[in-house]
Amino acid sequence: MEIPELNAMFLFRRRPVALPADLRPSWRIGLILLLLKVCCRRGRSTLTRLHALSWGIRAEQTRSALLAVVTGSLAHNGDVIVRFDPALNRAVDFALGEQLIRRCGGSRIELAPKGDALATALEAAEEAYQTEKIFMREIKQKFTEGLVDQLFSRSN
Amino acid sequence: MRFRRLEIRVQTSDGPYGVTLDFPDGLVLIWADNSMGKSTCVKAMLIALGMEAMLTTSQVELPIAPSVKTRLESPTGEHDVLESEVFLEIENAAKHRIVVRRAIKGSRDKNLITVYDGAALTATNSPGGSRDFFVNRAGAATRELGFHAYLAEFFGWELPAVRTYDGDERPLYFQCILPYLIVEQTRGWATTQPPVPTHFRLRDPNKRAVEFLLALDAHAVALKRQGLQAELARIDTVWRSQFAAAMEFAERTGGKIFELPSTPVATWPPTMAVAMVLPHGETWVDLEVRIVSMSAQLRELVENEIPRVKDISSSAQVELTQAELLVRDRQSLLSRLLDTLEMDRREIGAIAERLRAIDEDIQRNKDARVLTQLGSTQDLAFDKGSCPVCHQTIQDTLVPLEPDQAVMSLEESIAFLGEQRRTYGGVYENAKRELSSREKQVQSLRVEVSALRDRVRVLRQTLVSDGRGPSIAAIEERLRLDGSIRNLDAARAHFDTILESFAELARAWSTAQSQLNELPRVNVTTRDSEKISSWSAVLRDQLRDYGFASFKPDQAQISADSYRPEHDGFDLQNTISASDLIRTIWSYLKGMLELSRSVATNHPGFLIFDEPRQQSTKDFSFGKLIQRSADASAFHQQVIFFTSEDRNRLRSHLDGLPHTFYEIDGRVLKRL
């Protein structure tokens, strides 16, 4: 059967794909800077703690779990499984490349002056990272490296 | 209306000072040198008429020179003003004269204006009675003791009602009309249309003033249109609130109303009949049908005498079996419905969850946008799509994608998510509606099941009771039916009154709509456009006379829409030279005066210019203005100029023209 309409050249074009914002470098870098600024003493953290914080802040359930860890109100049989997100490593790499953060000692990273300025601007920008900021102000700097160690020794 | 005499009296520490000016018909020129007190005279006239709102918004200070308020300068030095007053004698079209008197400084209340009946200033015979009126207070233009209400009556004016920005109606204030008749120097020469006070919050005061002065029909049409639009808005509001009330009523009775329009319609009843339905099992039944069927049942029961138990025990047995079956049937239907209800609820929860997720993602995209904006000042490489270390092109993502797969930009993402949000919002609303309808069905089914259970119970009771007694089941059934019918009847009566109120609104709506359609498309009628075109002609004629040069005077005309002078459909104000602006103001205002000679208007037939030669308008132009104004006496009109032009040139301009010329040497206010 001959269908004249089909006698045309086909052209396939790839449409841009929708991407959740937390997988964008810009959103995640902003989050890292804010976490270092608000939740880490002297803007320094191990990568592990950053992973735990970044995991904890991203959804309602994980937020309450992290808060329970911080306040020590976690049920005895409660188990927290922190998921390591490879996207965070890439974001950290980008931030290192941009010299927003820098390596400090062996395993830790810290805010570089450029990153510190950007984090301060982000803190002041009221409309940005609203939910995240509320949460950060709640846990403050109480999620210490010690707690991180406890958390992981517990789940192991 | 004509001015007849102005008297200013100032009591100073040096004795009385003052000035008296008489104003006959025709052209009157008052000459005095600069800053000697001419404008004080004009302002005193305005103040005497309670028009200070034309000059200031202050309610405390009268806007007039210190020479009548605080310190008067005279050739003998400065003297303190102890008291001052202004008197103005005016005459109306019926040749009736009154004198108004107002204190400027002194113990008398400055918001009081005393009116003496008769020519108290110019005639020697004693005046008639006097009355006090107030100005500057709410009601000055409407109440009997308000001065402007009195003045309107004296002028023979019926001031039209105009709308304010607050939605009220007020009379068009005198203060909005007089700027077209008296051009005062400090503000009057700046715009083609006179400056009209805005603090009264009247809508389009300039248009209304012109329409009134030239007695145009446009205002009546516009007012009618405004009134009708307000009426339509009112009906719309009432309709909506009635609609909400009707829906609420349906909700209360556990039913729904079909086909009731939520916004006003003109045809009533609507093509699709408005109906109220009640749930019945899994379907919806019309209220009316329900009442009829229940009534039929009841009638049947009433017609048969209440049976004895022994007569009906076998049929009651059958009925009991049926009723029990029905209970089971309904029960299972109910549990099915409850299952669906639960599913619906879960679905709604899922949709709400999804909506939350979308909202969060939108927020994060916006966060990323903020960071990008902030980061742009720091010159970040990944914003430009390249790696900060190796400078190769990278995608705006943290997860690996297929090669060549593009990522939506932030803006695209936000738009994309917004679209999703809209879709899910619609789905959510829809699901909510469905849920509420399902809940109603469940509720009504529960009622039915409980009624059926009662039935089973009374049937059982009947079967075990004394065989000679009446059937409890039959009695109970009758009572139940009777009660339900009564409830439904009340609901129907209420529903009918609701429908009746909508019918009334629909009638009002259709009347207002058709009246609105009957109004002319534009507010201007033929009679109006004739007036405006002759006004335009007089304007052009004068512009030619006065030597208007910014463009060909033939191209000027007055807009039938805004009543402002235009050139090729554009407002004149910004396209002409400063001196041509003055010529235009002369022509515009004097045009109204000249127009009133040939057609019926409300123009009172006088015009006062304070220092008309502004912006170094050529002396030749001013001469022409004087010549053209001299014919005022022939029409019993009055044109008054206050000027400080060169006296000799003035005399030569006035040569051979009918006029009155006052020359005041030195200060206008002199020792008496």
Side-chain angles (χ1 to χ4, degrees):
Chain A
M1 192 172 67
E2 184 79 3
I3 302 173
E5 280 81 357
L6 292 183
N7 275 341
M9 261 261 289
F10 283 102
L11 190 67
F12 293 96
R13 192 179 290 143
R14 211 186 258 271
R15 293 278 164 207
V17 64
L19 191 72
D22 54 354
L23 290 182
R24 288 191 190 271
S26 39
W27 189 81
R28 196 66 77 93
I29 289 174
L31 183 72
I32 293 172
L33 296 179
L34 275 174
L35 283 174
L36 284 173
K37 174 94 183 160
V38 182
C39 299
C40 303
R41 256 169 16 95
R42 298 169 64 198
R44 281 182 193 168
S45 173
T46 57
L47 207 52
T48 320
R49 179 158 71 141
L50 210 53
H51 265 291
L53 281 168
S54 157
W55 158 83
I57 208 164
R58 278 167 58 202
E60 191 54 53
Q61 296 95 314
T62 58
R63 278 197 283 270
S64 47
L66 191 67
L67 203 63
V69 171
V70 167
T71 53
S73 61
L74 194 65
H76 287 297
N77 55 355
D79 227 359
V80 178
I81 298 172
V82 177
R83 296 186 191 285
F84 284 78
D85 184 358
L88 183 76
N89 290 346
R90 285 180 66 98
V92 168
D93 286 345
F94 278 133
L96 282 168
E98 296 282 10
Q99 289 164 10
L100 294 167
I101 55 178
R102 61 186 172 217
R103 292 201 186 281
C104 150
S107 60
R108 288 196 292 173
I109 51 172
E110 69 174 354
L111 274 178
K114 193 169 154 193
D116 192 58
L118 196 52
T120 313
L122 273 179
E123 259 194 300
E126 255 175 60
E127 75 277 22
Y129 297 92
Q130 283 165 349
T131 335
E132 288 81 6
K133 277 191 219 163
I134 292 171
F135 181 70
M136 287 181 209
R137 274 174 212 135
E138 214 167 332
I139 63 165
K140 300 200 190 79
Q141 300 185 345
K142 288 184 248 168
F143 188 60
T144 57
E145 299 285 0
L147 266 179
V148 176
D149 289 344
Q150 263 181 43
L151 193 63
F152 288 108
S153 62
R154 180 181 193 148
S155 46
N156 287 342
Chain B
M1 207 285 283
R2 304 291 167 267
F3 291 91
R4 286 306 173 220
R5 178 176 283 184
L6 168 74
E7 279 189 27
I8 303 176
R9 291 285 169 270
V10 186
Q11 198 61 240
T12 72
S13 48
D14 187 41
Y17 280 73
V19 64
T20 302
L21 290 172
D22 279 315
F23 305 106
D25 280 1
L27 174 63
V28 182
L29 274 109
I30 293 113
W31 180 92
D33 217 338
N34 267 331
S35 54
M36 287 296 158
K38 290 185 307 297
S39 290
T40 305
C41 292
V42 179
K43 285 176 178 168
M45 288 164 90
L46 288 174
I47 287 171
L49 294 176
M51 298 293 159
E52 57 272 20
M54 275 171 64
L55 304 162
T56 175
T57 53
S58 161
Q59 296 257 349
V60 190
E61 282 282 298
L62 285 175
I64 195 160
S67 55
V68 279
K69 265 199 313 200
T70 49
R71 292 178 74 74
L72 181 136
E73 271 188 53
S74 79
T76 57
E78 279 195 359
H79 307 291
D80 282 338
V81 174
L82 306 174
E83 248 177 27
S84 59
E85 278 184 306
V86 52
F87 297 82
L88 190 65
E89 185 170 312
I90 52 179
E91 181 182 304
N92 67 7
K95 302 276 173 214
H96 183 79
R97 289 195 189 190
I98 56 166
V99 171
V100 295
R101 169 187 181 185
R102 187 168 183 191
I104 292 173
K105 165 140 190 176
S107 53
R108 256 173 72 95
D109 185 347
K110 296 185 188 46
N111 289 331
L112 272 190
I113 292 183
T114 311
V115 173
Y116 299 91
D117 199 30
L121 292 184
T122 49
T124 42
N125 55 344
S126 58
S130 74
R131 279 171 76 190
D132 284 346
F133 294 92
F134 64 87
V135 286
N136 276 338
R137 244 175 268 166
T142 47
R143 293 229 305 271
E144 203 188 334
L145 280 178
F147 178 64
H148 289 153
Y150 171 81
L151 204 59
E153 198 189 315
F154 181 74
F155 273 49
W157 278 357
E158 235 177 80
L159 292 175
V162 292
R163 282 194 179 270
T164 65
Y165 283 105
D166 311 322
D168 298 345
E169 268 189 6
R170 298 271 165 71
L172 178 63
Y173 290 117
F174 254 91
Q175 290 92 323
C176 299
I177 306 174
L178 267 256
Y180 282 81
L181 307 168
I182 302 178
V183 180
E184 159 285 324
Q185 201 187 169
T186 45
R187 298 174 66 187
W189 298 109
T191 46
T192 47
Q193 261 189 336
V196 160
T198 51
H199 54 273
F200 299 122
R201 301 186 51 72
L202 299 183
R203 283 174 189 266
D204 303 329
N206 273 305
K207 282 183 78 167
R208 302 288 95 90
V210 172
E211 279 157 0
F212 173 70
L213 276 174
L214 298 186
L216 300 181
D217 302 325
H219 180 233
V221 177
L223 204 64
K224 186 109 196 270
R225 192 187 305 274
Q226 275 177 1
L228 285 172
Q229 272 156 356
E231 168 74 358
L232 287 178
R234 184 193 67 82
I235 296 173
D236 188 66
T237 322
V238 176
W239 188 290
R240 281 165 199 274
S241 74
Q242 296 253 39
F243 179 81
M247 287 302 157
E248 220 248 351
F249 161 72
E251 188 88 13
R252 260 202 328 268
T253 25
K256 287 205 276 199
I257 296 179
F258 282 156
E259 302 298 337
L260 181 63
S262 60
T263 50
V265 291
T267 19
W268 195 269
T271 342
M272 294 297 292
V274 180
M276 179 158 168
V277 293
L278 297 168
H280 185 68
E282 272 182 301
T283 57
W284 297 86
V285 181
D286 191 282
L287 173 67
E288 197 62 47
V289 174
R290 191 75 198 277
I291 291 178
V292 168
S293 80
M294 284 174 99
S295 303
Q297 271 180 42
L298 181 65
R299 216 166 27 248
E300 210 181 287
L301 282 180
V302 172
E303 273 165 11
N304 302 327
E305 202 187 320
I306 296 175
R308 311 250 151 223
V309 175
K310 65 176 191 298
D311 300 334
I312 52 134
S313 58
S314 59
S315 69
Q317 186 63 56
V318 175
E319 209 183 322
L320 176 62
T321 323
Q322 275 175 355
E324 278 170 343
L325 264 177
L326 209 53
V327 167
R328 258 208 304 283
D329 182 44
R330 289 296 185 233
Q331 194 79 50
S332 64
L333 179 60
L334 181 60
S335 71
R336 255 203 335 269
L337 268 177
L338 282 172
D339 280 351
T340 9
L341 191 65
E342 190 47 43
M343 261 160 57
D344 284 353
R345 285 210 175 110
R346 235 176 283 154
E347 191 184 319
I348 279 201
I351 299 171
E353 180 63 34
R354 175 83 195 145
L355 274 173
R356 252 198 309 283
I358 292 176
D359 281 342
E360 197 175 50
D361 206 5
I362 290 181
Q363 184 53 46
R364 287 184 175 166
N365 270 297
K366 287 184 178 160
D367 297 348
R369 190 167 60 184
V370 172
L371 184 101
T372 317
Q373 281 157 5
L374 291 173
S376 66
T377 55
Q378 313 244 5
D379 200 27
L380 300 184
F382 66 80
D383 280 344
K384 304 190 194 83
S386 62
C387 170
V389 178
C390 63
H391 300 289
Q392 288 185 41
T393 310
I394 52 165
Q395 291 273 26
D396 187 19
T397 168
L398 291 172
V399 284
L401 295 173
E402 282 177 57
D404 299 335
Q405 174 65 64
V407 180
M408 279 190 189
S409 72
L410 275 179
E411 295 303 325
E412 275 170 349
S413 266
I414 291 172
F416 175 75
L417 288 168
E419 202 51 45
Q420 270 195 39
R421 204 201 177 290
R422 274 227 330 246
T423 311
Y424 273 95
V427 173
Y428 184 63
E429 286 305 313
N430 200 34
K432 262 203 330 208
R433 264 200 303 281
E434 218 163 279
L435 185 71
S436 112
S437 150
R438 189 88 67 206
E439 274 168 346
K440 261 181 231 153
Q441 274 184 345
V442 167
Q443 162 115 34
S444 118
L445 201 56
R446 280 208 170 110
V447 171
E448 200 190 336
V449 167
S450 107
L452 276 172
R453 284 216 186 95
D454 281 351
R455 182 84 189 137
V456 168
R457 185 175 47 77
V458 290
L459 277 170
R460 285 206 182 115
Q461 235 173 324
T462 307
L463 284 171
V464 297
S465 61
D466 185 350
R468 286 160 301 175
S471 154
I472 301 171
I475 297 172
E476 204 268 350
E477 174 76 1
R478 261 171 75 166
L479 287 176
R480 192 184 61 81
L481 270 176
D482 201 46
S484 314
I485 291 174
R486 222 171 303 151
N487 281 343
L488 289 182
D489 265 340
R492 181 176 56 180
H494 190 82
F495 183 58
D496 284 346
T497 53
I498 288 176
L499 286 189
E500 189 42 50
S501 68
F502 277 109
E504 228 165 83
L505 284 175
R507 272 196 296 280
W509 181 261
S510 111
T511 322
Q513 288 280 16
S514 61
Q515 280 177 352
L516 197 59
N517 285 339
E518 279 164 20
L519 287 181
R521 284 221 163 276
V522 283
N523 291 340
V524 181
T525 61
T526 336
R527 210 164 64 98
D528 286 358
S529 30
E530 278 167 14
K531 275 185 189 172
I532 290 167
S533 68
S534 11
W535 186 13
S536 295
V538 181
L539 175 89
R540 284 192 292 268
D541 193 38
Q542 291 178 87
L543 289 180
R544 266 191 298 275
D545 255 13
Y546 305 150
F548 180 88
S550 290
F551 53 83
K552 284 208 181 86
D554 292 341
Q555 295 165 346
Q557 60 166 5
I558 287 163
S559 155
D561 181 42
S562 65
Y563 313 127
R564 295 162 70 92
E566 282 183 344
H567 172 222
D568 276 351
F570 289 101
D571 202 52
L572 270 193
Q573 181 92 30
N574 303 319
T575 54
I576 56 177
S577 68
S579 65
D580 273 344
L581 173 65
I582 303 303
R583 292 186 183 95
T584 310
I585 298 174
W586 294 349
S587 314
Y588 185 74
L589 296 180
K590 186 136 189 320
M592 290 175 111
L593 183 74
E594 288 185 24
L595 186 68
S596 72
R597 294 167 185 170
S598 51
V599 295
T601 65
N602 286 322
H603 200 289
F606 70 85
L607 195 59
I608 298 180
F609 283 170
D610 184 13
E611 204 70 86
R613 204 189 142 193
Q614 298 275 325
Q615 303 287 353
S616 343
T617 318
K618 284 192 185 115
D619 182 55
F620 149 83
S621 306
F622 187 48
K624 283 287 184 189
L625 174 67
I626 289 177
Q627 275 174 25
R628 208 171 159 121
S629 306
D631 63 352
S633 64
F635 298 95
H636 300 289
Q637 292 184 329
Q638 201 172 36
V639 177
I640 303 171
F641 292 158
F642 289 82
T643 180
S644 54
E645 283 307 298
D646 185 86
R647 262 196 275 192
N648 292 326
R649 275 213 299 256
L650 272 181
R651 278 202 204 91
S652 75
H653 286 319
L654 288 165
D655 193 31
L657 298 173
H659 69 275
T660 314
F661 187 32
Y662 293 109
E663 295 169 67
I664 306 175
D665 287 305
R667 298 199 174 272
V668 174
L669 291 174
K670 292 192 189 311
R671 177 102 211 257
L672 296 177

